[in-house]
Amino acid sequence: MKGYAITDIGKVRSENQDSVRYTENVSPAFGILAVCDGMGGAKAGSIASATALDIFVGRVSAHLANRRDKTKLDNAVLEAVDEANAVVYEHSLADLACEGMGTTLVAALVTAKSCRVVNVGDSRAYLISGDTITQVTRDHSFVEDLVERGIISRADARTHPRKNIITRAVGVEPMVECDVFAPKLKKNDLLLLCSDGLTNAVADEELLETVSQCKDLEKAAQALLDLALQRGAPDNVTVGLLRK
Ligand code: MG
């Protein structure tokens, strides 16, 4: 298992409110990759994303590292999201400067036998297997709802003026609902996790093409980031890659 993650402020924003982390363990073997894209004024967005990432990754790593913990992985993931949500939400109530803050969260947990992807918001996970790319997550966003209801096309969604509105976020309400996926991951398959700063600038086919041209994860992540930067990167850009 290998992973690599990179984040960049982009060309326009004054602060990077995205957070990313890759962590792996040898025995038992597991890898965790997580991306959060914070929202909120001043420093609040980065506090939300850093806090949610920290709580989620800490909680899930502790679960995976403890062989005696027989809690099902799905339950452990749901509990970790609940806890991240509670901590960010309580912080937002306690600190006036953080009122209303929240964050997306997309994460992948890979062990020798299983894989889970969890999502809240519009950061995404893709599965790259051979020469195909598949979006694993479904965006919790206003435009995704319009696409699914057949009101606008997927192409229109990319340029829609309200494409930044998300319908679910970690930390904005006392409870949050997440989606959990269990994609089948074969040896050498890649999971790409990213914030919308990447996907708004780079189309799915280009993600695949760029990653396929690079052998190592570090070069692939850097090439994706460079592509977003070349296109003006109006938002923070985050790329995480995990190869089984
Ligand atoms: Mg963003």
Side-chain angles (χ1 to χ4, degrees), residues 197-211:
L198 180 72
T199 47
N200 284 333
V202 184
D204 291 7
E205 315 81 67
E206 295 174 306
L207 297 174
L208 174 63
E209 195 184 321
T210 308
V211 168

Side-chain angles (χ1 to χ4, degrees), residues 122 141-144 146 156-157 159-166:
D122 68 349
S141 69
F142 176 74
V143 292
E144 181 65 28
L146 293 184
D156 292 341
T159 53
H160 197 281
R162 298 177 75 187
K163 71 175 184 322
N164 290 329
I165 297 175
I166 57 175

Side-chain angles (χ1 to χ4, degrees), residues 13 18 37 195-197 235-236:
R13 296 285 172 92
D18 286 1
D37 178 349
S195 61
D196 64 339
D235 193 5
N236 307 142

Side-chain angles (χ1 to χ4, degrees), residues 130-196:
D131 55 3
T132 62
I133 183 165
T134 317
Q135 188 177 327
V136 177
T137 52
R138 178 189 159 267
D139 294 352
H140 303 132
S141 69
F142 176 74
V143 292
E144 181 65 28
D145 290 349
L146 293 184
V147 170
E148 285 178 12
R149 284 157 60 200
I151 295 168
I152 62 169
S153 71
R154 194 148 295 281
D156 292 341
R158 290 189 69 80
T159 53
H160 197 281
R162 298 177 75 187
K163 71 175 184 322
N164 290 329
I165 297 175
I166 57 175
T167 50
R168 289 192 216 173
V170 172
V172 291
E173 284 175 48
M175 302 295 281
V176 70
E177 195 187 344
C178 60
D179 294 340
V180 182
F181 305 87
K184 294 265 178 288
L185 213 58
K186 300 194 294 286
K187 183 127 186 79
N188 286 323
D189 280 357
L190 261 180
L191 284 168
L192 161 65
L193 271 57
C194 55
S195 61
D196 64 339

Side-chain angles (χ1 to χ4, degrees), residues 3-180:
Y4 184 74
I6 189 168
T7 184
D8 192 279
I9 192 168
K11 299 264 192 188
V12 175
R13 296 285 172 92
S14 57
E15 197 195 4
N16 191 351
Q17 300 196 329
D18 286 1
S19 298
V20 63
R21 192 177 303 165
Y22 173 69
T23 178
E24 67 179 37
N25 197 61
V26 177
S27 178
F30 64 82
I32 303 171
L33 178 62
V35 170
C36 289
D37 178 349
M39 56 187 196
K43 299 248 174 270
S46 40
I47 291 171
S49 77
T51 304
L53 184 89
D54 225 42
I55 302 284
F56 178 84
V57 173
R59 185 73 183 255
V60 172
S61 323
H63 172 78
L64 291 171
N66 182 0
R67 295 174 199 266
R68 280 177 298 182
D69 185 346
K70 296 297 176 206
T71 314
K72 290 239 183 311
L73 184 55
D74 288 319
N75 292 336
V77 168
L78 296 177
E79 278 173 27
V81 172
D82 283 349
E83 190 175 330
N85 186 75
V87 173
V88 174
Y89 182 65
E90 279 156 25
H91 189 141
S92 78
L93 296 182
D95 182 350
L96 205 59
C98 291
E99 195 179 2
M101 70 177 178
T103 181
T104 70
L105 169 77
V106 65
L109 333 167
V110 179
T111 68
K113 287 185 187 155
S114 57
C115 171
R116 292 291 184 282
V117 170
V118 58
N119 180 52
V120 177
D122 68 349
S123 298
R124 290 179 180 172
Y126 290 89
L127 171 63
I128 297 175
S129 180
D131 55 3
T132 62
I133 183 165
T134 317
Q135 188 177 327
V136 177
T137 52
R138 178 189 159 267
D139 294 352
H140 303 132
S141 69
F142 176 74
V143 292
E144 181 65 28
D145 290 349
L146 293 184
V147 170
E148 285 178 12
R149 284 157 60 200
I151 295 168
I152 62 169
S153 71
R154 194 148 295 281
D156 292 341
R158 290 189 69 80
T159 53
H160 197 281
R162 298 177 75 187
K163 71 175 184 322
N164 290 329
I165 297 175
I166 57 175
T167 50
R168 289 192 216 173
V170 172
V172 291
E173 284 175 48
M175 302 295 281
V176 70
E177 195 187 344
C178 60
D179 294 340
V180 182

